[in-house]
Amino acid sequence: MNVLILPSLLAADVGHLEAAARQAERAGGDALHLDIMDGVFVPNISMGPAVVAMAKRCVTMPLSVHLMLLHPDQYVRRFAEAGATSLLIHIEAACDVPATLRAIRDAGVRPGITLNPGTPVERLDPVFDLVDEVLCMTVEPGYGGQSFMHDVLPKIRAVRERARRTGRPDLDIIVDGGVDLTTAPACARHGANGLVAGTALYKAPDMAADIRTMRAQAAAALA
Ligand code: DX5
Ligand code: ZN
């Protein structure tokens, strides 16, 4: 299984988002991660569909759109039209989560489910068969630049074991929050094949070199 590296645009200079999206592609990122925050589900407001549409115009890499919204069901169509490749909603959202995941697939977009750090793996039960991606938060969502929460690692392993047990070896399990060259191998060792990294990659002097290193070290550690 390949390891996917997803630079997170949240950590880019907001005055130069086009250049930052292109930089992530040129540096060898596998997909661009875009964090959408509504100021209600999380205590911060970030970007909207217009930024996803901008990225769609600038890059050909897939767009992984992480909806930190209380009511993601109301925005599926707009983000699908903007060009999202994946739409990752939260299991903690205030909507009919299985119905929203079906609506995402019906819109021609890969559905993904996100778990906050404190949310147990059992919450996946009703939606496991409906998703192509599981995003495990290793920080409380809302801000970039926070410290990686190591105590989430056993949950990542539990998701991978569940995927194997249920005949889903190709399920993408992605980690988001505090991922850098130090923490990435542990994520892979616990079964994650995708790594979102914002601060670590956008602050790196050579993003391409760090993406290569992160991918190689994670691939060597992949469980
Ligand atoms: C946090 C976001 C993350 C964020 C990660 O709510 O979901 O995607 O960009 O940023 P770093 O890599 O800086 O922790
Ligand atoms: Zn995110």
Side-chain angles (χ1 to χ4, degrees):
M1 194 169 214
N2 289 332
V3 174
L4 308 172
I5 308 294
L6 298 88
S8 174
L9 200 61
L10 188 68
D13 178 347
V14 77
H16 298 91
L17 290 182
E18 278 198 32
R22 290 200 175 92
Q23 179 191 8
E25 182 156 81
R26 219 175 34 242
D30 295 289
L32 186 65
H33 185 81
L34 296 107
D35 289 301
I36 315 298
M37 305 179 184
D38 65 358
V40 182
F41 183 75
V42 290
N44 194 10
I45 297 177
S46 58
M47 41 189 107
V51 177
V52 177
M54 174 280 293
K56 184 71 186 169
R57 286 193 302 274
C58 294
V59 296
T60 59
M61 72 206 301
L63 304 179
S64 149
V65 179
H66 177 190
L67 298 180
M68 283 160 273
L69 308 177
L70 194 59
H71 300 294
D73 50 319
Q74 297 175 12
Y75 295 93
V76 168
R77 198 173 55 82
R78 288 182 63 192
F79 283 101
E81 285 172 2
T85 311
S86 310
L87 277 176
L88 299 136
I89 65 170
H90 271 260
I91 193 91
E92 305 87 0
C95 68
D96 182 335
V97 171
T100 306
L101 292 166
R102 287 193 189 94
I104 292 170
R105 198 180 290 286
D106 288 348
V109 177
R110 280 167 65 86
I113 194 73
T114 311
L115 304 180
N116 278 340
T119 301
V121 69
E122 291 73 27
R123 289 284 300 277
L124 285 176
D125 289 350
V127 300
F128 202 65
D129 294 340
L130 300 176
V131 298
D132 294 339
E133 306 181 10
V134 175
L135 186 68
C136 296
M137 296 305 303
T138 40
V139 298
E140 292 300 337
Y143 298 92
Q146 303 182 73
S147 299
F148 184 84
M149 296 168 69
H150 286 86
D151 53 354
V152 179
L153 287 170
K155 183 167 67 182
I156 297 167
R157 175 157 286 155
V159 178
R160 180 57 74 200
E161 278 166 4
R162 179 173 298 225
R164 290 209 175 106
R165 255 199 336 268
T166 55
R168 308 280 314 279
D170 54 348
L171 182 75
D172 283 326
I173 301 176
I174 306 170
V175 181
D176 187 7
V179 175
D180 58 19
L181 291 178
T182 312
T183 54
C187 299
R189 203 174 310 120
H190 287 78
N193 67 304
L195 302 166
V196 174
T199 307
L201 292 179
Y202 276 102
K203 299 282 181 279
D206 182 346
M207 186 192 277
D210 279 21
I211 287 178
R212 280 196 300 273
T213 306
M214 191 179 281
R215 190 187 284 115
Q217 291 182 347
L222 193 58

